[in-house]
Amino acid sequence: MINIEKIRNEPELFKKAITDKKVPLELDRLLELDRLCRDLIGQIELLRQQRNHISEIIADEPDNRNELIDKSRILGKELANKESKFQNLETEFKKLMALVPSLPLIGVPKGDTDKDNVEISRWGSVIQKDFRIKDHLELALIHGLADFEGARNIAGSRAYALTGNGALLELAILRLALDKILAKAFTLISPPLLVKEIAMFGTGYFPLGEDNAYELQKDKFYLTGTSEVGIVSIHMNKVFEANDLPKRYVGISPCFRREAGAAGRDTKGLYRVHQFQKIEQVVFCTNNDEIARVEHTALLKNAEEILQALELPYRVVVMCTAEIGLGQVYKNDIETWMPSRQDYCETHSCSSFHNFQSRRLNIRYRNEKGEKAYIYTLNNTAIASPRILIPFLENHQNADGSIYIPKALRPYLNGLEVIRL
RNA sequence: GGAGAGGUGGCUGAGUGGUCGAAAGCGGCUUCCUGCUAAGAAGUUAUACGGUCAAAAGCUGUAUCCAGGGUUCAAAUCCCUGCCUCUCCGCCA
């Protein structure tokens, strides 16, 4: 939850963020509820004070005991009345509070769609091949890297199975990415993927993203769409010592996404699937904007190094206001070149939250003065598969249909240099 | 899935309806003493939000003994639900 005092003091800033991020929230109603609640809680505390005072006297067995008990009873009725009124107001207040976005940092471009994102860098050259290129589906088919038909029969649309070298290739890429991150002193976590609502809410995926999560109704669990959810939320209510920070984690997990709202989009192939594997970087740091910025840049660089090792051309973009989520203050996507699409497409997403998540989950640290302050959180993809297999297969195909294996990956594939037909 | 036990402050742990935000011990902090690195003495020590104040301190109000609901004039204490931990049985990768 955003600090209500900040909202009271600078409502215009939040109104702008609400508009820019396109959040369905009426801030004036929230502020009105805040006033009503505060006024009512004042009245309630006064009544409680009176009742507590009378209770103390009753305990001393005075002569007019019964009289006092009657008086307390009347106070109690009035209290109950106001308390239930308060509860209703507070419920609505909390619901609206959950929708208050974090403020985008200066430098986040204002915009409505991904067309408004701003490219800031490129790496690698996009080579237009002098032969007819095959898309990843065709390549997967001729090499036997994936089975779509069988998977879809039992798991529905967007399902896939990686087979043979396809599965080995995925494992190799994941392990390469993991090793690159581990070399930078990150702590590996394989977190819970089946979590309670508080974890989804606390990391900011709920309430607005509820349609995108798989829900296990019988047990009231949700399947996480990224290991970030488990990694961040297992620290709920924790207080770090300042010298524990920054704490850097790398997560590994399957990820589950309903892709609601994307019905009919990207239904072919490995681009938009319900289940995938991801290596994820997550960082906790002190509540210092400059430190967070440095960490953000480092997370971005780590991901870029992985793509460079895989010899895949990519570009980095700054996401515009409508494309960053409720909680993010700044976000970069890395888009990797996909020949079949003749475009750079999202493969990585690097987000800074400042204290948006830590306030929801009550994750703090003790600063130099001994005071508790909310930490900052950040995260970025290291690698996500099978989407990354699209640029991998398509960029590395040769005229004869074989697939080139970049040098850095060969140790993970028993020295394999080319996947031949 | 079945049966049982439990969840109290930084930690251990007492408290079965009012005098309890909570005994005692440990730990922490402050001061003193002694002097030689550890021991002694005294005091102090929960959190959040509000009021008072220029501000801090202090004083003061409310809430908090896992969470939510209920009983009662009054709940850490009684009742219900949920969550978590532990033990036994069953099932199982």
Side-chain angles (χ1 to χ4, degrees):
Chain A
M1 300 288 188
I2 302 291
N3 187 352
I4 181 67
E5 257 178 79
K6 226 173 136 183
I7 305 172
R8 277 179 208 139
N9 293 339
E10 302 176 287
E12 296 311 319
L13 283 183
F14 286 94
K15 278 187 188 169
K16 185 169 184 326
I18 287 164
T19 310
D20 289 350
K21 285 190 172 183
K22 302 188 185 300
V23 181
L25 169 65
E26 211 185 300
L27 197 73
D28 284 330
R29 175 61 182 161
L30 176 76
L31 290 167
E32 185 192 6
L33 284 166
D34 177 46
R35 278 191 296 275
L36 292 172
C37 280
R38 292 219 287 172
D39 180 56
L40 201 52
I41 201 74
Q43 297 176 35
I44 287 170
E45 287 196 358
L46 206 65
L47 286 171
R48 283 180 182 160
Q49 180 183 352
Q50 290 170 24
R51 191 184 59 178
N52 288 345
H53 182 65
I54 292 171
S55 280
E56 245 174 82
I57 301 173
I58 292 172
D60 286 337
E61 304 276 339
D63 297 336
N64 59 344
R65 200 166 185 272
N66 288 337
E67 197 183 305
L68 288 170
I69 286 177
D70 284 344
K71 206 168 157 191
S72 180
R73 195 175 283 148
I74 292 165
L75 279 175
K77 285 223 173 85
E78 202 180 331
L79 246 181
N81 186 10
K82 290 198 194 257
E83 279 170 340
S84 87
K85 214 182 266 173
F86 175 75
Q87 232 171 18
N88 289 339
L89 289 173
E90 201 196 25
T91 304
E92 191 188 344
F93 174 73
K94 282 184 175 164
K95 226 179 198 165
L96 298 189
M97 274 300 278
L99 294 174
V100 180
S102 59
L103 303 175
L105 293 181
I106 297 163
V108 174
K110 185 169 162 16
D112 299 320
T113 69
D114 56 4
K115 302 256 184 313
D116 300 312
N117 299 337
V118 177
E119 179 181 316
I120 54 170
S121 70
R122 273 184 198 213
W123 183 90
S125 44
V126 172
I127 301 159
Q128 296 299 342
K129 314 254 187 201
D130 55 5
F131 54 87
R132 185 194 68 87
I133 61 155
K134 302 179 175 65
D135 68 13
H136 75 280
L137 276 173
E138 190 177 347
L139 290 164
L141 185 76
I142 60 177
H143 285 282
L145 304 178
D147 171 7
F148 291 97
E149 261 186 50
R152 285 171 180 171
N153 283 337
I154 60 149
S157 71
R158 301 187 189 281
Y160 65 95
L162 295 181
T163 53
N165 275 336
L168 286 171
L169 190 58
E170 174 175 80
L171 270 178
I173 291 172
L174 290 173
R175 188 59 205 255
L176 176 144
L178 180 59
D179 285 353
K180 286 254 178 222
I181 305 297
L182 285 176
K184 295 169 198 281
F186 280 57
T187 304
L188 179 60
I189 298 193
S190 168
L193 314 179
L194 219 46
V195 301
K196 293 188 199 169
E197 190 181 6
I198 179 64
M200 302 298 282
F201 176 82
T203 44
Y205 287 93
F206 282 10
L208 290 182
E210 250 174 292
D211 284 346
N212 238 316
Y214 286 102
E215 178 185 2
L216 282 82
Q217 280 183 334
K218 201 169 172 185
D219 297 292
K220 293 185 184 134
F221 284 124
Y222 298 87
L223 280 165
T224 59
T226 163
S227 60
E228 164 208 348
V229 174
I231 293 173
V232 174
S233 62
I234 56 174
H235 294 85
M236 182 163 71
N237 297 327
K238 182 177 165 75
V239 181
F240 284 91
E241 295 302 325
N243 57 14
D244 292 336
L245 301 174
K247 186 74 200 166
R248 303 184 181 95
Y249 290 113
V250 55
I252 176 164
S253 80
C255 304
F256 303 94
R257 300 188 182 179
R258 291 186 68 232
E259 298 296 346
R265 201 144 38 101
D266 311 312
T267 50
K268 279 213 149 155
L270 298 173
Y271 190 80
R272 194 177 294 278
V273 293
H274 289 308
Q275 179 189 333
F276 59 97
Q277 307 280 347
K278 184 153 62 78
I279 311 279
E280 176 81 1
Q281 315 171 70
V282 176
V283 171
F284 296 169
C285 70
T286 55
N287 63 346
N288 178 305
D289 291 15
E290 179 54 23
I291 290 175
R293 198 189 61 76
V294 170
E295 291 293 333
H296 184 102
T297 307
L299 289 184
L300 204 53
K301 195 164 156 272
N302 292 346
E304 290 188 53
E305 281 175 18
I306 292 164
L307 287 175
Q308 289 170 18
L310 293 173
E311 301 175 27
L312 296 173
Y314 62 84
R315 65 171 191 166
V316 181
V317 300
V318 184
M319 307 301 281
C320 72
T321 47
E323 291 272 301
I324 64 177
L326 188 74
Q328 286 117 337
V329 297
Y330 190 81
K331 178 158 129 181
N332 293 117
D333 271 7
I334 299 178
E335 300 176 342
T336 307
W337 178 256
M338 300 192 185
S340 64
R341 295 173 167 244
Q342 284 294 297
D343 202 0
Y344 288 98
C345 300
E346 177 191 353
T347 51
H348 296 65
S349 191
C350 187
S351 302
S352 280
F353 285 90
H354 282 185
N355 63 18
F356 183 85
Q357 294 181 320
S358 65
R359 291 186 63 94
R360 290 184 166 217
L361 287 165
N362 190 33
I363 306 174
R364 294 171 295 173
Y365 80 102
R366 207 181 300 278
N367 65 21
E368 312 72 37
K369 291 182 216 153
E371 298 159 345
K372 288 171 189 162
Y374 292 105
I375 59 153
Y376 278 14
T377 59
L378 313 92
N379 64 70
N380 186 18
T381 318
I383 204 82
S385 172
R387 187 178 281 186
I388 198 64
L389 297 181
I390 300 171
F392 186 92
L393 296 173
E394 294 179 357
N395 282 297
H396 292 328
Q397 65 182 298
N398 297 313
D400 64 359
S402 64
I403 314 269
Y404 160 78
I405 304 294
K407 284 192 184 64
L409 195 61
R410 291 176 193 167
Y412 295 96
L413 287 166
N414 286 324
L416 188 68
E417 293 175 16
V418 176
I419 298 179
R420 295 186 196 286
L421 282 173

